[in-house]
Structure formats: structure tokens, C-alpha cells
Amino acid sequence: MAKVITLGLMESLHKRIAYLEGAKIIKLSEFAKQHKKTASSLANAARRQTIPAFREKGVWKISASSI
């Protein structure tokens, strides 16, 4: 239970930081194409919160300047 809450808080924190910085927000799939990585590997990293990604209306997004 603690892990689920921790992951949710981290995701929320990543979202707020990205918007407070005024960063350009893009879909994780676009980010994968730009950085020549597979979308599935980035989606797994987003679920584990090892990258600063977050969900909006069920779509994974990330700051364009991340990583």
C-alpha cells in the first residue's frame, strides 16, 4: 500500500514541477521517437517512476527537456 501511495505522490510531483517550470509538455510516445527509444520501455519506466513522467486523462506525458 505504501508503494502505491509513493508512486502516486511522485507522479503528482513530476507533473507539478513540469508545469511550474513552464516546460513544454509532450506525449511519452513523441518523446520516445525524439530520443530513439522504444515506447514500451519508457512506459515501463514511467510506471515505475524512474523517469519524470505523469498521466493526464490516461495519457502518459513528460517534459520535452527531461532526461
Side-chain angles (χ1 to χ4, degrees):
M1 180 66 137
K3 184 171 181 156
V4 172
I5 293 170
T6 302
L7 290 173
L9 286 172
M10 288 177 62
E11 186 176 331
S12 179
L13 178 67
H14 292 312
K15 179 179 181 177
R16 278 153 182 62
I17 289 172
Y19 278 107
L20 285 173
E21 289 177 340
K24 181 181 176 193
I25 307 299
I26 60 173
K27 291 181 180 180
L28 198 61
S29 57
E30 292 174 32
F31 187 83
K33 289 176 188 174
Q34 291 175 358
H35 293 276
K36 294 184 174 68
K37 298 187 182 219
T38 64
S40 61
S41 68
L42 287 178
N44 286 333
R47 280 188 215 102
R48 292 188 312 268
Q49 284 298 294
T50 55
I51 60 172
F54 54 90
R55 284 176 282 198
E56 279 188 331
K57 298 180 183 178
V59 177
W60 282 103
K61 297 185 178 183
I62 193 166
S63 169
S65 61
S66 294
I67 304 177

